[in-house]
Amino acid sequence: MSEEKDKQKSWIEIFIMPLVVAAVGSLGTYFITHQQEANAVAKANSDRQVKILEIFAEKITHDDAGQRLLAIKMLRALDPDLAEKLALAVAETEPENSVTREVATNIGFEAKAITQLQPRVYIHVNGSSERDIAKKLEELLEKNEWNVPGIERVGSKSPNQSQFRYFKKAESAKAKEIHQFMVDQGYDVALRYIGGYEDSNNIRPMHFEVWFSKGMPQ
């Protein structure tokens, strides 16, 4: 039994720990380099993911199967691409037919499905005049294979400042990618995380929204 545990730990050290160390390092370096540009929400999300990785690294090497299972479940709070790599790496180290291996495999496949799911960007404008101009943004987004289901007039519901909204912290990387694309194209929009939808079935994975203020886009 002791040899089996030692063998399992050695596999974890070889395949999983380097991923954890690299992820913590890259996240930390990014936010040190871009500290002045990063907003409070993005910084807090990075710190949170680093903390989760640190706890994951501690618990995934635990002798107790329950602690390893808890570590696996924590991966759902990470960026899907990273969660997929770590979960599938763990699945390879766990004994066949174990609960931990089964859960790790499922979480890995869930994360992979999210990364492969085409983003949908819903555009909201104040009135009909802005709607016509927003069609240009729709064309730009769809050229990048980001689906735009439609443009909706929301009238007085328009925010004072134009926003790009995302609803799941695990999708923040994709949100930042699309938001940066819009900024590069000249659209003045702020990135906003909208809480309360992490476990909601009302919003599909990779659901994003653009809310233009009155008179925008220009």
Side-chain angles (χ1 to χ4, degrees):
M1 181 65 71
S2 177
E3 290 182 2
E4 183 178 342
K5 288 182 179 179
D6 291 341
K7 183 178 179 181
Q8 183 182 48
K9 284 189 175 182
S10 67
W11 279 103
I12 289 173
E13 291 170 356
I14 293 171
F15 291 105
I16 300 174
M17 297 307 293
L19 286 173
V20 174
V21 173
V24 171
S26 61
L27 283 170
T29 301
Y30 176 87
F31 279 94
I32 290 173
T33 305
H34 297 78
Q35 187 172 3
Q36 293 182 343
E37 300 176 3
N39 58 44
V41 174
K43 180 66 168 62
N45 185 48
S46 173
D47 291 344
R48 175 174 168 273
Q49 293 215 16
V50 169
K51 186 63 177 178
I52 291 172
L53 281 168
E54 291 174 348
I55 299 173
F56 169 81
E58 176 186 351
K59 292 188 177 298
I60 198 61
T61 58
H62 203 285
D63 291 339
D64 180 49
Q67 293 296 311
R68 297 199 301 275
L69 185 60
L70 176 60
I72 296 302
K73 292 182 177 180
M74 290 174 64
L75 294 181
R76 285 196 171 103
L78 293 177
D79 174 84
D81 186 57
L82 177 58
E84 177 194 351
K85 290 182 175 66
L86 289 173
L88 295 181
V90 171
E92 293 178 0
T93 67
E94 287 291 321
E96 291 186 13
N97 301 321
S98 70
V99 174
T100 306
R101 180 170 185 151
E102 180 181 356
V103 172
T105 301
N106 290 338
I107 290 177
F109 287 154
E110 287 175 12
K112 184 176 182 179
I114 291 175
T115 59
Q116 293 180 342
L117 190 64
Q118 184 184 38
R120 290 184 184 179
V121 183
Y122 295 80
I123 301 176
H124 302 77
V125 295
N126 182 274
S128 57
S129 59
E130 292 95 345
R131 184 184 186 283
D132 293 337
I133 302 174
K135 291 289 291 182
K136 177 62 176 177
L137 174 61
E138 179 182 20
E139 294 173 3
L140 290 171
L141 292 172
E142 292 193 333
K143 282 182 179 179
N144 280 273
E145 299 184 355
W146 297 323
N147 184 33
V148 181
I151 301 172
E152 181 182 357
R153 293 171 52 188
V154 294
S156 60
K157 293 181 181 179
S158 295
N160 293 328
Q161 180 186 19
S162 298
Q163 301 174 2
F164 182 87
R165 300 178 179 179
Y166 68 102
F167 303 86
K168 299 181 186 296
K169 292 179 180 178
E171 297 171 357
S172 63
K174 180 60 67 175
K176 291 172 187 174
E177 178 186 348
I178 302 174
H179 171 257
Q180 188 59 54
F181 171 81
M182 291 182 59
V183 171
D184 292 343
Q185 298 300 317
Y187 292 93
D188 183 15
V189 293
L191 184 64
R192 290 287 183 270
Y193 166 70
I194 308 299
Y197 296 92
E198 292 292 341
D199 300 317
S200 174
N201 293 324
N202 295 327
I203 291 184
R204 71 188 282 279
M206 289 295 161
H207 173 110
F208 305 102
E209 297 181 1
V210 177
W211 287 72
F212 282 117
S213 58
K214 187 175 182 180
M216 288 286 289
Q218 297 176 349

